[in-house]
Amino acid sequence: MARLDRVAQLRIALAQINCTVGDLDGNADLIAAYARRAADDGAHLVAFPEMALTGYPVEDLALRRSFVEASIGAVRRLAARLADEGLGELPAVVGFLDRREGAAQRYGQPTGMPQNALALLYRGEVRVVSAKHHLPNYGVFDEFRYFVPGDTLPVVRVHGVDVAFAICEDLWQDGGPVAAVRDAGAGLLVVLNSSPYERDKDDERLALCRRRAREAGAALAYVNMVGGQDELVFDGDSLVVDAEGALLARAAQFEEALLVTDLELPAPSEPRPDDTLATTDIEIRRHTLSERPVDPYDPRPSTIADRLDDLAEVYAAIVTGTRDYVRKNRFGSVILGLSGGIDSALTATIATDALGPEMVNVVLMPSRYSSEHSVTDAEELVKRQGITARTVAVGPMIDAFEAAVDIDGLAAENLQSRVRGQLLMTLSNQYGHLVLTTGNKSELATGYSTLYGDSAGGFGPIKDAWKTLVWELASWRNAEAARRGEVPPIPENSITKPPSAELRPGQLDTDSLPDYPVLDALLDDYIGTDLGRAELIAAGHDPALVDRVIRLVDRAEYKRRQYPPGPKISKRNFGRDRRLPITSRWS
Amino acid sequence: MARLDRVAQLRIALAQINCTVGDLDGNADLIAAYARRAADDGAHLVAFPEMALTGYPVEDLALRRSFVEASIGAVRRLAARLADEGLGELPAVVGFLDRREGAAQRYGQPTGMPQNALALLYRGEVRVVSAKHHLPNYGVFDEFRYFVPGDTLPVVRVHGVDVAFAICEDLWQDGGPVAAVRDAGAGLLVVLNSSPYERDKDDERLALCRRRAREAGAALAYVNMVGGQDELVFDGDSLVVDAEGALLARAAQFEEALLVTDLELPAPSEPRPDDTLATTDIEIRRHTLSERPVDPYDPRPSTIADRLDDLAEVYAAIVTGTRDYVRKNRFGSVILGLSGGIDSALTATIATDALGPEMVNVVLMPSRYSSEHSVTDAEELVKRQGITARTVAVGPMIDAFEAAVDIDGLAAENLQSRVRGQLLMTLSNQYGHLVLTTGNKSELATGYSTLYGDSAGGFGPIKDAWKTLVWELASWRNAEAARRGEVPPIPENSITKPPSAELRPGQLDTDSLPDYPVLDALLDDYIGTDLGRAELIAAGHDPALVDRVIRLVDRAEYKRRQYPPGPKISKRNFGRDRRLPITSRWS
């Protein structure tokens, strides 16, 4: 239908915040603080991420009745609090955990009928509630397990502008809420997200927002969570595009931010479109907060933050995930073993960047098989980064075990690794440091690690980085330091020397494994792309190597199950997004 | 519709077999062997469990195209093979992994459109294919992630009898396939299952089969998987009821079996019922293998196996899960630390019952805090069970660590536990034994264990047993031995003495934890029933204890994530059926 709309201004604020799962009080404080900032900035509407009040993902907490009740209570209290604090006139849209009321539970619906919902808070009350339609059920997501889908599109008149709201996956699927937004003739679509970072998405998010804005015939505001939650890292990157898909504003990645944007939007004259003619089976639910457009004002220029380059982005994701895991689990410091090799060197650097050098403790644990450069390279890193180091020679402990039991070969190699892991855990227990595990994804994939040895710890910052990426990140970080006129944090020799576990004389990784570029390419096709044996060979990988690597990977599943969590940066890591049996004869 | 049906005889064989995930060749061999036995027994139809050909659960393998292709290829080869081996005239119904063909992939459907399907093999060909309708998506099940639901009910005329087929959850849901069976006028419903064992189900399975048979107006044959697959244990318990719900035959629990039953079933005269009048939206698909009833024969008496008592059943589930984990992962032997306490005593007994004493190795690892009875009780158990023991005093290794780092308190306690864990892992690496972990569910729940210490290992037989159940099982096992006139395997003193970790002088579990009956009742309400804080207090638990225990449980999530797998015997264990964030402020 053709309508002659007036144009109205609206200042929208997107609050890109870092929530913690289950911390209803802390998240409410954070939301109130950002609502205050938005009000101080003169915003007419403020939006928070998907499930901002509960944190995301809540996993099986969604099935606990007491938690759903607590979330519903918390959102009501938040509405009252915002009004009490003089913020009641600013409509605030907040993601929370709701419950579908009034319908009998049906087969296939989760117990208690929880919903991934949004609430519009205004003048002390929850004025509008609506639930996510499209529930992702792949990778790390299990939303069919947790949520009952929604079936309404809320369209809220704010200062004369019709604003529609949707949640995350609703934006990614054809038809559904985006089509309903067009039917509804809304001027702005606000989408709440908790969308985790994943490398190599090629700015898919902006392209999608542009396309959906054009499809909806509406400006689109995308607000995302930021920060680490267990294995997930949310990258922020909130943005606003106009109805033609032009980028108007964009927030920084991996930082909390309030993105404030002045928009000129259609302010429809009556009558409204006839919602009974809508093309989807989504019910359009209209609400009015205020009919009168705001008085004309001079718009402020909006911010378009620079995007990080590929390696800067990956590095920031890992640093963010590490910082938040330490902080949200209330650790004051970390400890790790520093071998002089590239994996522990990069992990220490990540820890220093995430937490500051005063919170980072390293232990040098040379054995009879450690080369001279292992110690000197490690000492050089300690000096450059100003972190706290101690040296513990592991010989006496290894000797004590070897006096007690007759062992050789792999058992003797693993023993050394386990003595080191045990020393770190003991120091962790004594001083309250979180142990950082230094294994990379190539090791995890092939099982080239020792259970309870080098794989011991509380968090593994580089567990989702192939060995080749570990080198790239180390070189990038050093170059970045040089660019800033700082001392490169990682000794060059740690980057350039051939990798070795140093568990027997003259050992090199290449004794047991192919060259890492060859190995990582194969692993990425097998694990990342999930190709089968025949497909891997058709893709050009050496058939004998394919068989060998598949066997290694499949047999190491039991080790990966016991590996600590770490930040997910790829499409498929070794966390909850990859669920394979331990016992399986299939490759 | 009223029809005057003739009565026809049919001998049905239910093959309760122990399949391995991914072992397409091995499972096909097993199926062929049981088809041979069924044919030798004169069966007219043989049925195998849900996903017998692939094993169950295949988890993310369902999303790997190459695996789906391999399953489809394997079922075709199996059909040809059965005919080649002279078994082509015996219709065999086999669960396998299929793919939905011919429809475009829609939102919310798993990649590649895999289906949890059954195939009827006859005369060298796959004659009928049909997929599971109701996909469970709770607890350990993620079937919305893996499968596209089916929408047809196959009804196959076999020797003049109309036999309908369905899969597992289809039986548990009202309406759906069971209602369609009545519409179709089938005389027999055969249901393929891979239904895991769970304690306290009160023979729910038989009650359900009785009820569904009456609803369907048909006899019902229920065939279940048996054996352990990672954390799941399938209990078998296949059974047959007539159309009035009377139990006709039942197979033993936790054992492979071929359950052969002679049935008298309606052999409908033409015309068939009008399928267009059906009351469900399931499409009834009719097939005919043979119209002519078998020549009358004298039915054989059928077997109704005795049911195990509660504790016998739980014990059998744990033994089965342990045996199959060891065997299917191709370990020849196990090793565990024997402390003289009840947990390791019961674990050793389970291992001996599962594998035989010659495959069980124990290590006595006394420290300065071990009481005299620890060693003598352990030695007594070794003597009674005839297992292989060695003693390693851990003092020198502990001294070596304590000389290297200054520690006290918890760090010193954990050190002792980790030295023991490391010794077991070292012996495991040297001799190829699988390490059995001896922790119980009360410890896992509260975090009363040492990461990489007593929680180290490959499989934890009693990880889903509360401490109170550990005592019950030990007493039951001894009583069972006495009943059989055998020496009780567990020294009485291990059962009766107060539990202690013996990591400091005079330490008792009750120093840190409430009495186990009180603790376990609270834990079971919190973890098993998923009650929240207020609900626990309302249920009568002490409020201070509720707060303390909730805090302990929630903080120990990071430890449980790194715990080895173990057989699931309860509704909620600490495996994939309970998915909670590590970082959470919610209780």
Side-chain angles (χ1 to χ4, degrees):
Chain A
M1 69 256 107
R3 289 175 300 157
L4 279 177
D5 290 341
R6 295 163 296 163
V7 164
Q9 288 178 290
L10 205 67
R11 179 170 290 172
I12 178 168
L14 304 182
Q16 175 173 301
I17 57 174
N18 186 349
C19 301
T20 301
V21 162
D23 191 6
L24 297 171
D25 292 340
N27 296 334
D29 290 345
L30 192 59
I31 292 166
Y34 271 78
R36 160 76 54 204
R37 281 182 54 185
D40 291 349
D41 266 3
H44 304 116
L45 175 67
V46 59
F48 294 86
E50 179 182 14
M51 293 191 79
L53 190 55
T54 53
Y56 185 90
V58 297
E59 303 192 70
D60 276 12
L61 287 175
L63 306 177
R64 200 177 291 174
R65 200 166 65 84
S66 58
F67 186 62
V68 179
E69 296 296 328
S71 169
I72 293 168
V75 82
R76 289 180 187 150
R77 282 198 307 279
L78 179 61
R81 167 186 178 167
L82 293 177
D84 289 348
E85 296 182 8
L87 303 166
E89 294 299 316
L90 172 63
V93 182
V94 177
F96 79 117
L97 178 63
D98 197 11
R99 185 182 50 214
R100 186 181 173 121
E101 300 283 4
Q105 178 130 12
R106 286 210 323 275
Y107 171 72
Q109 292 180 333
T111 304
M113 304 183 74
Q115 293 196 298
N116 180 336
L118 61 84
L120 189 145
L121 315 183
Y122 185 62
R123 294 187 178 169
E125 289 181 353
V126 176
R127 293 289 286 268
V128 177
V129 163
S130 175
K132 187 174 183 175
H133 297 242
H134 290 295
L135 304 176
N137 205 45
Y138 48 81
V140 296
F141 304 109
D142 284 306
E143 295 204 354
F144 278 128
R145 178 184 174 95
Y146 297 127
F147 304 124
V148 177
D151 51 11
T152 64
L153 178 78
V155 179
V156 183
R157 189 157 293 183
V158 182
H159 294 300
V161 176
D162 283 338
V163 184
F165 298 93
I167 301 177
C168 204
E169 189 85 3
D170 291 343
L171 187 68
W172 291 81
Q173 301 306 326
D174 290 328
V178 173
V181 170
R182 173 173 282 278
D183 292 339
L188 172 64
L189 169 62
V190 176
V191 187
L192 280 53
N193 304 271
S194 281
S195 181
Y197 171 70
E198 195 179 285
R199 198 187 174 196
D200 289 333
K201 272 196 174 172
D202 281 339
D203 212 0
E204 208 181 324
R205 184 178 288 152
L206 175 59
L208 178 77
C209 288
R210 288 186 196 279
R211 183 155 62 85
R212 294 303 189 201
R214 288 191 294 262
E215 287 173 18
L220 193 156
Y222 178 104
V223 56
N224 195 18
M225 185 79 84
V226 73
Q229 171 66 42
D230 290 355
E231 296 223 303
L232 298 187
V233 185
F234 302 101
D235 54 337
D237 191 28
S238 301
L239 59 88
V240 182
V241 296
D242 69 16
E244 282 74 47
L247 180 65
L248 300 180
R250 193 164 200 175
Q253 298 162 279
F254 304 106
E255 291 173 15
E256 285 198 324
L258 186 74
L259 186 72
V260 179
T261 313
D262 281 314
L263 295 168
E264 294 213 338
L265 298 167
S269 321
E270 300 295 345
R272 285 170 168 163
D274 180 355
D275 290 342
T276 63
L277 301 176
T279 60
T280 75
D281 52 6
I282 296 171
E283 183 194 343
I284 296 167
R285 288 215 184 142
R286 295 187 181 271
H287 310 263
T288 298
L289 301 189
S290 45
E291 286 283 3
R292 190 171 160 274
V294 296
D295 293 332
Y297 63 90
D298 287 338
R300 294 194 308 200
S302 51
T303 316
I304 298 185
D306 287 337
R307 304 269 301 159
L308 299 172
D309 294 337
D310 175 43
L311 291 173
E313 191 182 86
V314 173
Y315 192 80
I318 294 174
V319 167
T320 301
T322 303
R323 179 191 298 124
D324 279 340
Y325 193 86
V326 172
R327 184 177 67 80
K328 292 182 181 180
N329 284 294
R330 296 182 169 144
F331 279 90
S333 52
V334 297
I335 191 168
L336 66 147
L338 201 67
S339 71
I342 186 63
D343 294 331
S344 61
L346 181 64
T347 304
T349 309
I350 288 163
T352 300
D353 285 341
L355 308 165
E358 65 286 351
M359 287 175 70
V360 180
N361 302 275
V362 296
V363 191
L364 282 63
M365 295 176 281
S367 77
R368 69 192 103 157
Y369 304 124
S370 300
S371 36
E372 178 128 343
H373 60 72
S374 296
V375 176
T376 54
D377 292 341
E379 284 171 346
E380 174 64 20
L381 182 143
V382 168
K383 203 179 74 184
R384 292 189 188 188
Q385 301 195 14
I387 56 183
T388 305
R390 73 157 76 195
T391 300
V392 182
V394 292
M397 286 152 275
I398 291 169
D399 292 346
F401 278 99
E402 292 192 337
V405 285
D406 270 339
I407 54 168
D408 55 18
L410 192 66
E413 291 184 31
N414 283 338
L415 172 65
Q416 300 167 59
S417 181
R418 289 201 184 102
V419 163
R420 292 185 174 118
Q422 177 159 359
L423 270 169
L424 292 171
M425 291 305 295
T426 299
L427 292 166
S428 163
N429 286 158
Q430 185 69 26
Y431 299 107
H433 311 311
L434 178 76
V435 175
L436 294 183
T437 313
T438 59
N440 63 63
K441 190 175 187 176
S442 309
E443 285 177 3
L444 256 80
T446 53
Y448 195 70
S449 68
T450 300
L451 195 59
Y452 316 134
D454 55 323
S455 66
F459 196 72
I462 59 171
K463 78 175 268 199
D464 196 20
W466 300 124
K467 183 80 172 190
T468 43
L469 178 60
V470 169
W471 276 308
E472 286 181 277
L473 288 171
S475 298
W476 171 85
R477 182 64 185 81
N478 270 5
E480 185 66 13
R483 199 179 61 76
R484 293 192 225 145
E486 296 166 6
V487 179
I490 302 171
E492 271 307 307
N493 197 41
S494 291
I495 303 178
T496 52
K497 67 186 172 187
S500 165
E502 297 196 331
L503 295 175
R504 59 173 189 265
Q507 183 181 29
L508 291 178
D509 288 13
T510 44
D511 300 343
S512 314
L513 297 173
D515 282 343
Y516 280 109
V518 172
L519 177 66
D520 286 355
L522 171 53
L523 289 172
D524 198 55
D525 279 349
Y526 184 46
I527 291 153
T529 314
D530 212 17
L531 299 183
R533 182 179 175 281
E535 296 161 319
L536 290 167
I537 293 169
H541 297 290
D542 174 64
L545 186 62
V546 166
D547 284 338
R548 189 169 150 234
V549 166
I550 283 180
R551 202 166 51 240
L552 287 172
V553 171
D554 292 358
R555 287 194 184 162
E557 184 63 24
Y558 77 99
K559 280 192 197 178
R560 289 188 289 268
R561 288 270 192 105
Q562 295 196 44
Y563 206 86
K568 175 175 159 71
I569 56 173
S570 72
K571 191 174 166 64
R572 297 186 84 201
N573 72 348
F574 290 120
R576 291 204 179 170
D577 63 338
R578 187 174 187 270
R579 301 181 194 160
L580 287 168
I582 295 175
T583 309
S584 171
R585 301 271 187 275
W586 174 255
S587 299
Chain B
M1 68 257 112
R3 290 175 299 159
L4 279 175
D5 290 340
R6 296 162 296 163
V7 165
Q9 287 178 291
L10 204 67
R11 177 170 291 172
I12 178 170
L14 303 181
Q16 174 174 301
I17 57 174
N18 186 349
C19 301
T20 301
V21 162
D23 191 7
L24 297 171
D25 292 340
N27 296 334
D29 289 346
L30 193 58
I31 292 167
Y34 272 78
R36 159 76 55 203
R37 280 183 54 185
D40 290 350
D41 265 4
H44 304 116
L45 176 66
V46 59
F48 294 87
E50 179 181 15
M51 293 190 79
L53 190 54
T54 54
Y56 185 90
V58 296
E59 303 193 68
D60 276 11
L61 286 176
L63 306 177
R64 199 176 291 174
R65 201 166 64 85
S66 59
F67 186 60
V68 179
E69 297 295 328
S71 169
I72 293 170
V75 83
R76 289 180 187 149
R77 280 198 307 280
L78 178 61
R81 169 187 175 166
L82 293 178
D84 288 348
E85 296 182 6
L87 302 166
E89 293 299 316
L90 172 64
V93 182
V94 177
F96 78 116
L97 178 63
D98 198 10
R99 184 182 52 216
R100 186 183 171 116
E101 302 282 5
Q105 179 128 14
R106 285 209 324 275
Y107 171 72
Q109 292 180 332
T111 304
M113 304 182 74
Q115 294 195 299
N116 180 337
L118 61 83
L120 188 145
L121 314 184
Y122 185 63
R123 293 187 178 169
E125 288 180 355
V126 177
R127 292 289 286 268
V128 177
V129 163
S130 176
K132 188 174 183 175
H133 296 242
H134 290 296
L135 303 176
N137 205 44
Y138 49 79
V140 296
F141 303 109
D142 285 306
E143 294 205 356
F144 279 128
R145 178 184 174 95
Y146 297 128
F147 303 124
V148 177
D151 51 11
T152 63
L153 177 78
V155 179
V156 182
R157 188 155 293 183
V158 181
H159 293 300
V161 175
D162 282 337
V163 184
F165 298 93
I167 301 176
C168 203
E169 189 84 3
D170 290 343
L171 187 68
W172 291 80
Q173 302 306 326
D174 289 328
V178 173
V181 170
R182 172 172 283 278
D183 291 340
L188 172 65
L189 169 60
V190 177
V191 187
L192 279 52
N193 303 272
S194 282
S195 182
Y197 171 69
E198 195 178 287
R199 198 186 174 196
D200 290 332
K201 272 196 174 172
D202 282 339
D203 211 1
E204 208 179 325
R205 183 179 287 152
L206 175 60
L208 178 78
C209 288
R210 288 185 197 279
R211 182 154 61 85
R212 293 305 189 200
R214 288 190 294 260
E215 286 173 21
L220 193 156
Y222 178 104
V223 57
N224 195 17
M225 186 78 84
V226 73
Q229 170 67 42
D230 290 355
E231 297 223 304
L232 300 187
V233 185
F234 302 99
D235 54 338
D237 191 28
S238 302
L239 58 87
V240 182
V241 296
D242 69 17
E244 283 74 48
L247 179 65
L248 300 180
R250 194 164 200 176
Q253 297 163 279
F254 304 106
E255 292 174 15
E256 285 199 324
L258 186 74
L259 186 71
V260 178
T261 314
D262 281 314
L263 296 168
E264 293 211 338
L265 299 166
S269 321
E270 299 294 345
R272 285 169 168 164
D274 181 354
D275 290 342
T276 64
L277 301 176
T279 60
T280 75
D281 53 7
I282 295 171
E283 183 195 340
I284 296 167
R285 288 217 183 140
R286 295 188 180 270
H287 309 263
T288 299
L289 301 188
S290 45
E291 287 283 3
R292 192 172 160 274
V294 295
D295 293 332
Y297 64 90
D298 287 339
R300 294 195 307 199
S302 51
T303 316
I304 298 185
D306 286 338
R307 304 270 299 159
L308 299 173
D309 294 337
D310 176 42
L311 291 174
E313 191 182 85
V314 173
Y315 192 81
I318 294 175
V319 166
T320 301
T322 304
R323 180 190 297 125
D324 277 340
Y325 193 84
V326 172
R327 185 176 67 80
K328 292 183 180 179
N329 284 293
R330 297 182 168 145
F331 279 90
S333 52
V334 297
I335 191 168
L336 66 146
L338 200 67
S339 71
I342 185 63
D343 294 332
S344 59
L346 181 64
T347 304
T349 310
I350 288 163
T352 300
D353 285 342
L355 307 165
E358 65 287 350
M359 286 175 70
V360 180
N361 303 275
V362 296
V363 190
L364 283 63
M365 296 176 282
S367 79
R368 67 192 105 156
Y369 303 125
S370 299
S371 37
E372 179 128 341
H373 58 72
S374 296
V375 175
T376 54
D377 293 341
E379 285 171 345
E380 173 65 21
L381 183 142
V382 168
K383 203 179 75 185
R384 291 189 188 188
Q385 300 195 15
I387 57 183
T388 305
R390 73 157 78 196
T391 300
V392 182
V394 292
M397 286 152 274
I398 292 169
D399 293 345
F401 276 98
E402 292 191 336
V405 286
D406 270 340
I407 54 168
D408 55 17
L410 192 65
E413 292 185 30
N414 282 337
L415 172 66
Q416 300 166 59
S417 181
R418 289 201 184 101
V419 163
R420 293 185 175 118
Q422 177 159 357
L423 269 171
L424 293 173
M425 292 305 295
T426 300
L427 291 167
S428 162
N429 286 158
Q430 185 69 26
Y431 299 107
H433 311 311
L434 178 77
V435 176
L436 294 183
T437 312
T438 60
N440 63 62
K441 191 175 186 177
S442 309
E443 286 177 2
L444 255 80
T446 55
Y448 194 69
S449 67
T450 301
L451 196 57
Y452 317 135
D454 54 322
S455 66
F459 197 71
I462 59 171
K463 78 174 269 199
D464 195 20
W466 299 122
K467 183 80 172 190
T468 43
L469 179 59
V470 170
W471 276 308
E472 287 181 274
L473 287 171
S475 298
W476 171 86
R477 181 64 185 81
N478 270 6
E480 184 66 14
R483 200 180 60 76
R484 291 192 224 144
E486 297 166 0
V487 178
I490 302 171
E492 270 307 307
N493 197 41
S494 292
I495 302 178
T496 53
K497 67 185 172 188
S500 166
E502 298 197 330
L503 296 175
R504 59 173 188 263
Q507 183 180 29
L508 290 179
D509 287 13
T510 45
D511 301 344
S512 315
L513 296 173
D515 282 343
Y516 280 110
V518 172
L519 177 66
D520 286 355
L522 171 52
L523 289 172
D524 198 54
D525 279 350
Y526 184 46
I527 291 153
T529 314
D530 212 18
L531 298 184
R533 182 178 175 283
E535 296 161 318
L536 290 168
I537 293 168
H541 298 288
D542 174 63
L545 186 63
V546 166
D547 285 337
R548 188 169 150 233
V549 166
I550 282 180
R551 203 166 51 242
L552 286 173
V553 171
D554 291 358
R555 286 194 185 162
E557 183 63 22
Y558 77 97
K559 278 191 198 178
R560 290 187 289 269
R561 289 269 192 104
Q562 295 196 44
Y563 206 87
K568 175 175 160 67
I569 57 174
S570 72
K571 190 173 166 65
R572 296 186 84 202
N573 71 348
F574 291 121
R576 291 204 178 169
D577 62 339
R578 188 175 187 270
R579 301 181 195 160
L580 287 167
I582 295 175
T583 310
S584 171
R585 300 272 186 275
W586 174 257
S587 299

